[in-house]
Amino acid sequence: MKQLRKQLSAWSWEALLVVLLLLTIILGNSLSPYFLTPFNLSLMVESFVEIAIMSLSMTLIIIAGEIDLSVASVLGLSSVMMGVTWNAGMPLWLDIVIALAVGAVAGLFNGLLVTRLGLPSLVVTLGTLGLYRGLAYVILGSQAVSDFPSSYTNFGIGDVPGTLIPWTFVLFVLLALLFLVVLHRSWIGRQIYAIGNNKEAARFAGIRELYVVTVVLLGGINIFGGRGSLVGVILALFVIGGLRNAFGLIDVSGDVQNILIGALLVFSVLGPNIVQRIQVALSRRRLAAGSSKQV
């Protein structure tokens, strides 16, 4: 019964996100005639696909009842290492392997501090956020790496031939399908939910309004772990991406957009709890009405 209630809560939140996405589309189209053009939609997807890919792994982390504030710094450090090794004359495939290995080692370091030493993930990743970012600046220095082969850069900024679909969005779709299977159709996903359900609820304070965290929480992932779905996160990606794009088309400043993201972050924390309370209240009313009829 408890599990069913959680599933109903998740479905209700996802339905609300669908409505929010439709409202975003209506708002964007009313603000600018260019919003729903294929070219602009392609640019919009391309602008948030980096955050989208990071949100997939962040979803698993938060469901497990943890947090990682260092994701962007890990991305930066990995990218720097790829640039440095490319400048050193290494083949591109080896540069990519090294970048992936650096990201894996950085994540492993975070994980060991949390799981083996029992340190709070909020504190650990707030520290490694600065550590990894600092290492990236030290390693790169004043260098600038921009002479990657066109086959590589075309994948990063180009579209599938004959379409306006970015190659990076294709990568995101493939990864999203993989994560959906792992999280919702495998024993690994069941264990991740179990970890989040059994951990003591953590209190989060002073978290920066990071886009990745906002996307995951707006997607319905419970900040205390153990509840939520990847479908909601994907819907939230398009809501935030659509809003940022729409306001960008009418030259709304970055500061105002940050206010919007901050408001969405607060709403994403409060929203699921409000929805759940409404459901509980409605269930109690139905039970009370049923009891009165029996009497």
Side-chain angles (χ1 to χ4, degrees):
M1 186 65 182
K2 186 178 181 181
Q3 186 65 27
L4 178 60
R5 185 180 299 172
K6 288 182 178 180
Q7 290 178 352
L8 290 174
S9 178
W11 292 337
S12 299
W13 186 252
E14 288 164 11
L16 182 60
L17 284 173
V18 171
V19 174
L20 190 58
L21 179 58
L22 292 175
L23 292 175
T24 299
I25 294 172
I26 295 171
L27 174 65
N29 191 49
S30 65
L31 292 176
S32 171
Y34 303 107
F35 181 75
L36 289 179
T37 60
F39 180 72
N40 181 65
L41 292 176
S42 177
L43 290 179
M44 181 185 72
V45 170
E46 186 178 331
S47 69
F48 72 71
V49 73
E50 179 182 284
I51 294 174
I53 292 174
M54 289 190 291
S55 298
L56 295 175
S57 55
M58 182 68 81
T59 299
L60 305 186
I61 293 171
I62 295 183
I63 286 178
E66 302 293 349
I67 193 73
D68 186 354
L69 302 181
S70 68
V71 284
S73 296
V74 173
L75 172 64
L77 179 59
S78 301
S79 302
V80 163
M81 289 303 301
M82 182 174 176
V84 169
T85 53
W86 170 255
N87 265 358
M90 295 185 181
L92 183 62
W93 68 267
L94 184 57
D95 301 330
I96 295 174
V97 171
I98 290 174
L100 293 173
V102 169
V105 170
L108 177 63
F109 180 66
N110 287 346
L112 289 176
L113 291 179
V114 173
T115 59
R116 299 303 180 187
L117 298 184
L119 301 177
S121 57
L122 175 64
V123 176
V124 168
T125 58
L126 188 60
T128 54
L129 179 153
L131 172 63
Y132 298 150
R133 182 177 298 176
L135 285 173
Y137 281 122
V138 170
I139 294 171
L140 187 63
S142 59
Q143 300 180 65
V145 184
S146 59
D147 60 341
F148 288 106
S150 58
S151 59
Y152 174 74
T153 55
N154 286 342
F155 179 81
I157 62 175
D159 299 330
V160 177
T163 73
L164 289 175
I165 302 173
W167 277 113
T168 49
F169 183 69
V170 175
L171 175 62
F172 165 72
V173 170
L174 294 175
L175 288 173
L177 291 173
L178 175 63
F179 274 71
L180 278 168
V181 171
V182 170
L183 183 59
H184 298 294
R185 291 291 184 269
S186 75
W187 62 269
I188 297 175
R190 289 192 293 271
Q191 287 193 350
I192 291 173
Y193 277 106
I195 291 171
N197 278 321
N198 292 334
K199 287 184 65 67
E200 182 181 357
R203 293 183 179 179
F204 295 91
I207 300 178
R208 298 184 179 186
E209 292 160 359
L210 301 175
Y211 280 110
V212 177
V213 176
T214 304
V215 165
V216 174
L217 296 184
L218 182 61
I221 306 301
N222 191 286
I223 196 171
F224 301 119
R227 189 163 71 243
S229 76
L230 200 58
V231 174
V233 174
I234 295 172
L235 289 170
L237 280 167
F238 284 94
V239 170
I240 292 181
L243 288 173
R244 290 183 62 192
N245 180 266
F247 287 117
L249 287 173
I250 58 173
D251 294 325
V252 173
S253 69
D255 291 334
V256 175
Q257 291 188 36
N258 287 335
I259 292 173
L260 171 66
I261 297 300
L264 283 175
L265 181 58
V266 173
F267 174 70
S268 64
V269 175
L270 296 178
N273 293 326
I274 294 174
V275 170
Q276 188 174 10
R277 290 188 179 187
I278 292 174
Q279 288 180 330
V280 170
L282 291 175
S283 298
R284 287 176 177 173
R285 284 188 179 182
R286 285 195 294 267
L287 288 174
S291 300
S292 61
K293 287 181 180 179
Q294 290 178 1
V295 173

